[in-house]
Amino acid sequence: MAEPINVVVTGAAGQIAYSLLYQLAAGSVFGPEQPINLRLLDIPPMMEVLQGVVMELDDLALNLLREVTPTADPAVAFKDAAAAFLVGAMPRKQGMERKDLLSANVKIFKVQGEALDKFARKDVKVLVVGNPANTNALICSHYAPSIPKENFTAMTRLDQNRAQAALAARLSVQVDRVQNVIIWGNHSSTQYPDAHHALVHLPTGAKPVPEAVNDDAWLNGEFVEKIQKRGAAVIAARKMSSAMSAAKAAGDHMRDWWIGTRPGKWVSMGVVSDGSYGIPKDIVFSFPVTIKDHQFKIVQGLPINEFARAKLNATAKELEEERAEANSVLEQ
Ligand code: NAI
């Protein structure tokens, strides 16, 4: 069996981590042959809660799980890390402006970027889940200059999974029959869930989703809005944000990054823009990617119609605004 790898989960006493940790310990992300050491980072007031999580991890009695280290010290958490799930973030409190939230979180991701730079492996794979995820990933990468930019990603996989499930329901097929739906842009309500390049596998063969749905008004209207607002709908019903589905999506994202995508299939990830599709460079933008040997490649050459262009521009503009706000906080 392979040597254990160090896997960091921040926000480890929180609700997403609670669903994520079992997947990691059970081998459903890094594979059944890969033992792991878990480094659990949270803030000092959460250390007692974290002890309870550690007890439960012990009680899972799983072979793949070797050391478990709860800590409030980023230097301890990120030491020799091979993979990091940056879930911990300041939640939005009542009366808090978006800017206040951004300001609190940007500072957290600066500290964690610096710690990754100093202590983690140079090939560490970093997945940012904590919101605003795209801009947090950008800041984190900026403060970890010794680690390649390609090693920092933001999670839009939950949006992709939501979109895939919504299309499968609309077409009355199982969810794995739908592939290659894309999430473009920010993990926010400006994201563009795009089904125009997706395929559905029907008993009669593969068909483009727009042809199978045969209702462009729905695909460009109700479908897009449903995915953009799904997170808010879960909060309204549950009085808490999506946790089980967010944890599953984080596992999906990291597993594909670690193990690779299957031929002909692509997945969406927030990655540092290289200018593909005319998107400004130096923002973390969600693109369709394929992955091989731990490296992703942005899928090139998809036709972008006028409707899509406007959506891509709007979400890119929001990300540029977030970057400017983040920079102004960091300059203070
Ligand atoms: P939660 O509030 O249950 O847990 C967050 C944890 O982070 C808490 O234990 C808190 O103490 C910890 N934390 C705060 N500051 C920290 C720091 N500096 N270092 C380490 N830990 C720290 O929140 P939940 O539900 O687990 O969500 C976590 C984040 O994920 C939120 O920002 C949420 O908005 C985001 N999210 C992102 C999604 C996505 O699709 N990208 C989907 C759902 C949630």
Side-chain angles (χ1 to χ4, degrees):
M1 201 172 250
E3 283 296 298
I5 51 167
N6 295 341
V7 177
V8 184
V9 176
T10 75
Q15 45 153 6
I16 293 178
Y18 194 73
S19 288
L20 175 62
L21 291 171
Y22 173 72
Q23 295 180 56
L24 301 178
S28 46
V29 176
F30 298 101
E33 300 296 324
Q34 179 58 67
I36 62 169
N37 297 322
L38 277 176
R39 307 275 194 251
L40 307 180
L41 182 71
D42 212 295
I43 52 177
M46 297 306 285
M47 287 302 111
E48 198 184 330
V49 174
L50 199 50
Q51 280 305 336
V53 175
V54 172
M55 285 186 237
E56 285 207 70
L57 284 165
D58 288 344
D59 299 346
L60 292 174
L62 285 168
N63 271 344
L64 286 178
L65 184 57
R66 302 293 160 88
E67 294 165 22
V68 179
T69 312
T71 180
D73 181 355
V76 172
F78 291 110
K79 180 95 183 88
D80 298 327
F85 294 82
L86 306 189
V87 180
M90 174 86 81
R92 192 170 190 154
K93 294 183 191 131
Q94 224 170 9
M96 216 179 187
E97 296 289 325
R98 202 176 83 111
K99 209 170 177 171
D100 301 332
L101 182 75
L102 192 104
S103 147
N105 281 313
V106 156
K107 287 177 194 152
I108 293 175
F109 285 84
K110 175 183 176 199
V111 169
Q112 294 184 355
E114 288 167 344
L116 279 157
D117 195 50
K118 266 199 203 149
F119 304 110
R121 279 169 43 164
K122 297 303 168 202
D123 62 351
V124 62
K125 303 271 173 281
V126 182
L127 164 57
V128 177
V129 175
N131 280 320
N134 298 52
T135 299
N136 288 341
L138 182 73
I139 300 303
C140 201
S141 151
H142 182 79
Y143 284 95
S146 68
I147 298 170
K149 281 190 183 349
E150 292 74 29
N151 294 28
F152 292 83
T153 60
M155 189 168 94
T156 51
R157 184 58 171 266
L158 176 54
D159 308 294
Q160 178 194 312
N161 287 350
R162 286 166 172 164
Q164 195 177 333
L167 290 172
R170 167 85 187 200
L171 293 167
S172 304
V173 295
Q174 275 177 209
V175 78
D176 69 348
R177 305 280 84 197
V178 175
Q179 72 180 67
N180 297 357
V181 54
I182 302 168
I183 304 299
W184 299 98
N186 200 1
H187 169 68
S188 78
S189 58
T190 65
Q191 66 175 258
Y192 173 41
D194 180 2
H196 286 95
H197 312 281
L199 281 181
V200 55
H201 295 271
L202 297 169
T204 49
K207 210 177 201 184
V209 163
E211 211 178 290
V213 170
N214 195 21
D215 184 351
D216 273 359
W218 182 81
L219 271 185
N220 292 339
E222 202 180 318
F223 166 72
V224 169
E225 239 181 69
K226 181 176 174 162
I227 307 310
Q228 288 174 334
K229 296 186 177 159
R230 184 69 160 185
V234 171
I235 294 179
R238 218 171 80 89
K239 317 290 177 249
M240 283 197 284
S241 64
S242 324
M244 177 170 53
S245 53
K248 154 62 166 65
D252 288 347
H253 176 125
M254 187 63 87
R255 185 181 51 249
D256 285 341
W257 200 0
W258 204 261
I259 288 166
T261 47
R262 273 176 285 158
K265 292 203 175 169
W266 59 64
V267 293
S268 293
M269 282 185 178
V271 304
V272 178
S273 168
D274 61 355
S276 293
Y277 296 96
I279 299 304
K281 289 186 182 176
D282 204 29
I283 52 176
V284 170
F285 192 93
S286 178
F287 288 102
V289 301
T290 54
I291 305 163
K292 203 178 163 206
D293 300 330
H294 291 206
Q295 307 292 327
F296 65 79
K297 272 201 187 125
I298 297 174
V299 175
Q300 297 295 334
L302 298 172
I304 302 293
N305 65 20
E306 218 175 294
F307 176 81
R309 186 78 258 163
K311 296 275 183 207
L312 263 62
N313 290 350
T315 191
K317 183 164 174 278
E318 182 182 54
L319 283 165
E320 287 186 301
E321 285 164 9
E322 280 187 16
R323 179 182 59 193
E325 283 173 32
N327 284 338
S328 75
V329 171
L330 293 167
E331 277 156 16
Q332 279 163 21

